[in-house]
């Protein structure tokens, strides 16, 4: 499907409260309803799912995976990962999807959250971007420069890890904590030298020719995203069974996305307001590459490294064992967390 390139002005109007692996932010949820009881009054289990715009509900519906449920799903829409996890902690939500860093901050605050499932995908969408005319060529060149990043996001850790790989520390750059909408304005307005961010924002900037990649997350970040559940829901026999079925449906939907990138991009664009070209680029760079993997020792060790890093930087209040916030009951039959994600052939 060929479409004309999008003008810069249109790209600047893209809504930014989108599904994102970074899952950053602290704005309140736009909820479609509270948790309520475990059943709907007719004996059917009600699974309360935290979602983001263009997220699980949209992809499950597009893939035909919301048919023939023997339980009911009540959806609540959140702007990002941290408030979703706050709802999980409060047992207003039974399960929801977040990136690799929000669970670390939630666990660091001793929230009642449990990681129950994971996906692994390509990390080339996790980037540090610079303007097209920037003289910065290597990560080392960021020393003394200003970098925008969303605090507590996957990009936050990617920035730290990328700097350390280059022999720098976070203190060697001027960190400006901004959520994506403000960061985009600062980046395009020349107020910051670089922007650490994730897809679909990476695809937005590159598709609109607003910047270029200085470095990306390959070989630096773990490429994991998680489903996080409330311990109370896991202890409930009916809800635990519903969670198991829900996760299986998500896995089938992942396969559908990979096999139908253009169709999913159309749906995703319509649901979020993303231009089709940006949505398709993000699907092929990031979202379509993800596969379900086990929450195994390697995944826990990788997350522990993130947790220890933020504890060392005093950005989480305590050191803790990430394994204490993991339940492996849904791992059966899944490949190791280090299994390489999928990819699309050039020109596909």
């Amino acid at each position: 499907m060929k479409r004309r390139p999008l003008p810069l002005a249109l790209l600047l109007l893209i809504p930014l409260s989108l599904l994102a692996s970074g899952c950053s932010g602290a704005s309140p949820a736009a909820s479609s309803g509270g948790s309520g009881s475990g059943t709907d009054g007719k004996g059917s289990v009600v699974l309360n799912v935290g979602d983001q715009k263009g997220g699980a509900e949209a992809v499950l519906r597009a893939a035909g995976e919301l048919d023939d449920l023997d339980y009911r799903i009540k959806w609540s829409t959140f702007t990002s990962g941290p408030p979703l996890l706050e709802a999980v902690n409060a047992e207003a939500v039974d399960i929801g999807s977040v990136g690799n860093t929000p669970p670390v901050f939630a666990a660091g605050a001793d929230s009642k959250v449990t990681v129950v499932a994971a996906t692994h995908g390509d990390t080339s969408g996790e980037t540090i971007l610079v303007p097209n005319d920037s003289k910065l060529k290597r990560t080392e060149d960021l020393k003394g420069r200003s970098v925008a990043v969303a605090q507590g996001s996957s990009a936050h850790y990617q920035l730290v890890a990328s700097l350390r790989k280059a022999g720098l520390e976070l203190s060697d750059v001027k960190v400006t904590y901004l959520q994506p909408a403000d960061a985009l304005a600062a980046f395009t307005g020349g107020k910051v030298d670089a922007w650490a961010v994730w897809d679909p924002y990476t695809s937005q900037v590159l598709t609109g020719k607003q910047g270029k990649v200085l470095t990306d997350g390959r070989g630096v970040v773990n490429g994991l995203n998680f489903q996080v559940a409330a311990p109370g829901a896991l202890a409930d026999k009916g809800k635990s069974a519903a969670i198991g079925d829900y996760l299986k449906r998500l896995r089938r939907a992942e396969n559908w996305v990979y096999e139908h990138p253009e169709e999913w991009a159309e749906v995703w664009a319509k649901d979020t307001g993303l231009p089709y070209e940006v949505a398709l680029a993000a699907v092929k760079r990031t979202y379509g590459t993800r596969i379900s993997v086990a929450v195994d020792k390697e995944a826990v060790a990788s997350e522990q490294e993130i947790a220890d890093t933020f504890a060392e930087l005093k950005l989480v209040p305590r050191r803790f064992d990430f394994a204490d916030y993991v339940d492996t009951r849904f791992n059966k039959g899944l490949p190791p967390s280090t299994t390489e994600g999928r990819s699309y052939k050039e020109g596909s």
Side-chain angles (χ1 to χ4, degrees):
M1 182 180 299
K2 294 184 178 180
R3 302 188 182 219
R4 287 181 294 177
L6 291 159
L8 175 61
L10 178 57
L11 283 164
L12 290 172
L13 295 175
I14 294 174
L16 290 167
S17 57
L18 304 172
L19 171 69
S21 66
C23 296
S24 66
S27 52
S31 176
S32 62
S35 173
S37 64
T39 61
D40 60 3
K42 299 178 181 179
S44 296
V45 171
V46 177
L47 188 64
N48 300 286
V49 179
D51 198 15
Q52 297 182 56
K53 197 173 181 67
E57 182 179 13
V59 72
L60 287 169
R61 193 173 303 284
E65 288 293 341
L66 290 181
D67 302 330
D68 303 320
L69 292 172
D70 59 5
Y71 54 93
R72 187 164 66 88
I73 296 178
K74 179 181 265 188
W75 301 95
S76 295
T77 303
F78 294 80
T79 57
S80 55
L84 190 159
L85 292 185
E86 289 172 11
V88 172
N89 178 56
E91 296 191 333
V93 163
D94 297 320
I95 190 169
S97 175
V98 297
N100 66 358
T101 303
V104 165
F105 278 76
D110 202 20
S111 297
K112 296 180 179 65
V113 298
T114 303
V115 172
V116 295
T119 62
H120 185 233
D122 192 289
T123 57
S124 60
E126 298 263 357
T127 58
I128 298 177
L129 302 169
V130 295
N132 287 323
D133 60 355
S134 174
K135 295 181 180 179
L136 306 182
K137 303 298 182 184
R138 306 176 303 161
T139 308
E140 292 91 327
D141 297 336
L142 288 172
K143 186 173 183 178
R145 302 288 187 155
S146 57
V147 184
V149 67
Q151 187 169 11
S153 67
S154 62
H156 196 176
Y157 180 72
Q158 193 242 335
L159 174 61
V160 173
S162 295
L163 290 171
R164 289 188 169 182
K165 185 177 180 180
L168 301 175
E169 293 293 330
L170 197 61
S171 57
D172 289 320
V173 301
K174 300 172 184 176
V175 180
T176 302
Y177 289 121
L178 294 172
Q179 293 305 307
D182 295 328
L184 175 62
F187 180 77
T188 56
K191 304 297 184 183
V192 293
D193 296 307
W195 182 18
V197 73
W198 59 90
D199 251 335
Y201 310 111
T202 292
S203 292
Q204 176 185 350
V205 168
L206 298 181
T207 301
K209 304 188 184 308
Q210 298 166 277
K212 59 187 178 181
V213 175
L214 180 70
T215 189
D216 64 37
R218 287 175 289 189
V220 179
V221 295
N222 61 24
L224 296 173
N225 285 269
F226 297 109
Q227 293 290 329
V228 182
L234 293 170
D236 181 281
K237 184 177 180 180
K239 287 204 173 192
S240 178
I243 287 171
D245 179 76
Y246 173 75
L247 294 175
K248 289 177 182 177
R249 290 172 185 268
L250 281 176
R251 291 163 194 158
R252 293 195 295 264
E254 288 164 11
N255 295 333
W256 179 86
V257 166
Y258 177 70
E259 294 165 359
H260 303 84
E262 291 85 3
E263 188 174 343
W264 169 237
E266 287 277 10
V267 174
W268 193 26
K270 183 177 180 180
D271 201 63
T272 62
L274 278 171
Y276 171 82
E277 290 84 351
V278 173
L280 182 60
V283 169
K284 291 192 172 184
R285 180 179 285 110
T286 300
Y287 298 109
T289 73
R290 292 177 181 165
I291 60 170
S292 290
V293 295
V295 186
D296 54 19
K297 291 181 180 179
E298 288 76 17
V300 170
S302 183
E303 289 296 298
Q304 187 67 55
E305 185 176 351
I306 297 175
D308 291 345
T309 297
F310 281 115
E312 177 187 339
L313 292 170
K314 309 295 184 186
L315 292 173
V316 297
R318 67 188 182 99
R319 291 187 176 273
F320 60 92
D321 289 331
F322 192 81
D324 293 341
Y325 296 85
V326 169
D327 187 322
T328 61
R329 74 178 73 176
F330 304 108
N331 275 352
K332 186 177 180 180
L334 292 175
S337 63
T338 53
T339 302
E340 188 175 349
R342 294 180 276 217
S343 65
Y344 293 93
K345 294 180 179 179
E346 195 70 28
S348 65

